Amino acid sequence: RSRATRRRERFVQEALFLSSLRHPRIVRMLGYTYFPNNRTFALIMEYVSRGLLFDLLHRSPNLTLLVSQALWFARDIAEGMSFLHRSGVLHRDLKSANVLVDESSRPKICDFGLSKEENSESFAVSAPSVHGTIAWSPPETLRGLSCTAASDVYSFGIIMCVFYVYSVYFCFHSYSFSFEVFFSLVGMSY
């Protein structure tokens, strides 16, 4: 078999596996297609109306993110990641740009381009040394060590830090917010 045939077979195998994942916090894959003229593959995913969580956080000038809202987002993302890990899938590129927000303002994990079935090489679609986006990657991954569920947990922690910064920023700019309140939030005395 040719390299192109093996690549196409691997894509179909991955697409079939990803289409079997059903969870409210995971973007649903509806199908796939292959364009023979330019030899490219495409996944067909559900439409998620509010777009990327990254854009919501970084490009929405009127965003107000309360701590309680940040915790709801975090819980939903954690539920989706827990489902993936129970299903034997490592995301390997979890970040706010790979989380979509639906019409009910609930997050859905997406972009499984670097995902890998645990204990399998079938989903290894990237270079073996570094996976994902460097700023969101755990140190062991940057050193070329294998990805584990802990790698995804580290990336989730980065998302939590972003939520924390935005919710504290909102408090500073929306209320008469004292340093005593700020330091109590970060667990320090003033």
Short mmCIF file of all heavy atoms in Angstrom, two decimals, residues 11 27-33 42-46:
data_model
loop_
_atom_site.label_atom_id
_atom_site.label_comp_id
_atom_site.label_asym_id
_atom_site.label_seq_id
_atom_site.Cartn_x
_atom_site.Cartn_y
_atom_site.Cartn_z
N PHE A 11 -6.68 8.26 8.67
CA PHE A 11 -7.63 9.35 8.87
C PHE A 11 -9.04 8.79 9.07
O PHE A 11 -9.75 9.21 9.99
CB PHE A 11 -7.60 10.32 7.69
CG PHE A 11 -8.66 11.38 7.79
CD1 PHE A 11 -8.44 12.51 8.56
CD2 PHE A 11 -9.88 11.24 7.14
CE1 PHE A 11 -9.43 13.49 8.67
CE2 PHE A 11 -10.86 12.20 7.25
CZ PHE A 11 -10.64 13.33 8.02
N VAL A 27 -17.38 18.73 21.21
CA VAL A 27 -17.98 19.06 19.92
C VAL A 27 -18.20 17.76 19.16
O VAL A 27 -17.31 16.91 19.05
CB VAL A 27 -17.07 20.02 19.11
CG1 VAL A 27 -17.60 20.21 17.71
CG2 VAL A 27 -16.96 21.36 19.81
N ARG A 28 -19.42 17.59 18.66
CA ARG A 28 -19.81 16.36 17.98
C ARG A 28 -19.30 16.35 16.54
O ARG A 28 -19.47 17.31 15.80
CB ARG A 28 -21.32 16.21 18.02
CG ARG A 28 -21.82 14.85 17.57
CD ARG A 28 -23.31 14.68 17.79
NE ARG A 28 -24.10 15.72 17.13
CZ ARG A 28 -24.81 16.64 17.76
NH1 ARG A 28 -24.86 16.67 19.06
NH2 ARG A 28 -25.50 17.53 17.08
N MET A 29 -18.65 15.26 16.17
CA MET A 29 -18.22 15.10 14.80
C MET A 29 -19.35 14.44 14.01
O MET A 29 -19.88 13.41 14.41
CB MET A 29 -16.97 14.24 14.71
CG MET A 29 -16.34 14.34 13.33
SD MET A 29 -14.94 13.29 13.12
CE MET A 29 -15.76 11.80 12.62
N LEU A 30 -19.73 15.07 12.92
CA LEU A 30 -20.86 14.59 12.13
C LEU A 30 -20.44 13.72 10.96
O LEU A 30 -21.23 12.92 10.47
CB LEU A 30 -21.68 15.78 11.62
CG LEU A 30 -22.18 16.74 12.71
CD1 LEU A 30 -22.82 17.96 12.08
CD2 LEU A 30 -23.14 16.02 13.64
N GLY A 31 -19.23 13.90 10.50
CA GLY A 31 -18.77 13.11 9.37
C GLY A 31 -17.39 13.56 8.94
O GLY A 31 -16.71 14.32 9.62
N TYR A 32 -16.98 13.08 7.78
CA TYR A 32 -15.67 13.43 7.24
C TYR A 32 -15.74 13.36 5.73
O TYR A 32 -16.64 12.77 5.15
CB TYR A 32 -14.58 12.53 7.79
CG TYR A 32 -14.75 11.08 7.42
CD1 TYR A 32 -14.19 10.55 6.27
CD2 TYR A 32 -15.49 10.22 8.24
CE1 TYR A 32 -14.36 9.22 5.93
CE2 TYR A 32 -15.67 8.89 7.91
CZ TYR A 32 -15.09 8.40 6.75
OH TYR A 32 -15.26 7.09 6.41
N THR A 33 -14.75 13.97 5.11
CA THR A 33 -14.67 13.92 3.65
C THR A 33 -13.22 13.96 3.22
O THR A 33 -12.33 14.31 4.01
CB THR A 33 -15.47 15.07 3.00
OG1 THR A 33 -15.54 14.85 1.60
CG2 THR A 33 -14.83 16.42 3.29
N ALA A 42 -11.02 16.42 5.64
CA ALA A 42 -11.74 17.38 6.46
C ALA A 42 -12.74 16.65 7.35
O ALA A 42 -13.38 15.69 6.91
CB ALA A 42 -12.48 18.39 5.59
N LEU A 43 -12.83 17.11 8.58
CA LEU A 43 -13.84 16.62 9.50
C LEU A 43 -15.01 17.58 9.45
O LEU A 43 -14.83 18.79 9.35
CB LEU A 43 -13.30 16.56 10.93
CG LEU A 43 -12.14 15.61 11.17
CD1 LEU A 43 -11.63 15.77 12.60
CD2 LEU A 43 -12.55 14.18 10.91
N ILE A 44 -16.21 17.06 9.55
CA ILE A 44 -17.41 17.87 9.58
C ILE A 44 -17.93 17.83 11.01
O ILE A 44 -18.30 16.77 11.51
CB ILE A 44 -18.46 17.35 8.58
CG1 ILE A 44 -17.85 17.33 7.17
CG2 ILE A 44 -19.73 18.20 8.65
CD1 ILE A 44 -18.64 16.50 6.18
N MET A 45 -17.91 19.00 11.67
CA MET A 45 -18.26 19.08 13.08
C MET A 45 -19.56 19.87 13.24
O MET A 45 -19.94 20.63 12.36
CB MET A 45 -17.15 19.80 13.85
CG MET A 45 -15.74 19.28 13.59
SD MET A 45 -15.50 17.58 14.11
CE MET A 45 -15.10 17.81 15.81
N GLU A 46 -20.19 19.71 14.39
CA GLU A 46 -21.39 20.50 14.68
C GLU A 46 -21.03 21.98 14.74
O GLU A 46 -19.90 22.35 15.07
CB GLU A 46 -22.02 20.06 16.00
CG GLU A 46 -21.27 20.53 17.23
CD GLU A 46 -21.98 20.21 18.53
OE1 GLU A 46 -23.10 20.72 18.75
OE2 GLU A 46 -21.40 19.46 19.33
#
